[in-house]
Amino acid sequence: PVDLVRYSSATVLADLNQAQFPDGHWDCAVMLETLEFIHDVAWLLKVIKESADHLIMTYRAPAGRAVAARRSAGYFNDFTVEQLRRLLEAAGWIDVEIKAADPYTIVFAE
């Protein structure tokens, strides 16, 4: 696990908004309720692609929520599902499957 806070002895401390990402290669990266808080989403999706063969992630797409409500929740971005797909593809993810599971958008990518 990678996080800003050490929740266990296995947690790798990293601030993704400071371009900190652990070295290594993994079969799969799992990112749950994280992308909403990331400043440079394109960078993060690219570095994950370079480090993992698969990606599973959730994202709360705006779905009509006002930007003010998202900002008060600490969200930094407001991608539509189509914009999210384009960001993933631009980062090199080729096989991208996106499913709605209110309130989440669930992404499976290779």
Side-chain angles (χ1 to χ4, degrees), residues 2-16:
V2 175
D3 210 316
L4 280 170
V5 177
R6 187 174 308 281
Y7 291 102
S8 76
S9 61
T11 303
V12 175
L13 296 179
D15 185 342
L16 300 175

Side-chain angles (χ1 to χ4, degrees), residues 59 61-62 79-86 88 98-100 105:
Y59 180 75
F79 303 118
T80 65
V81 171
E82 189 51 41
Q83 289 170 323
L84 184 58
R85 177 182 299 281
R86 286 195 302 265
L88 287 155
I98 299 178
K99 296 187 175 200
T105 299

Side-chain angles (χ1 to χ4, degrees), residues 12-101:
V12 175
L13 296 179
D15 185 342
L16 300 175
N17 283 325
Q18 297 296 318
Q20 299 171 2
F21 196 85
D23 292 330
H25 190 85
W26 300 273
D27 292 330
C28 185
V30 178
M31 194 166 45
L32 305 175
E33 292 193 73
T34 303
L35 202 66
E36 297 88 338
F37 302 97
I38 299 300
H39 302 173
D40 189 348
V41 170
W43 167 81
L44 182 58
L45 292 176
K46 184 175 184 286
V47 75
I48 292 173
K49 177 59 179 154
E50 293 167 355
S51 302
D53 298 325
H54 302 87
L55 171 63
I56 300 169
M57 82 174 192
T58 61
Y59 180 75
R60 288 185 185 238
R65 288 185 66 190
V67 170
R70 291 178 65 82
R71 294 301 172 272
S72 69
Y75 297 172
F76 284 91
N77 53 64
D78 310 295
F79 303 118
T80 65
V81 171
E82 189 51 41
Q83 289 170 323
L84 184 58
R85 177 182 299 281
R86 286 195 302 265
L87 282 163
L88 287 155
E89 290 171 350
W93 297 99
I94 296 169
D95 187 9
V96 176
E97 182 180 349
I98 299 178
K99 296 187 175 200

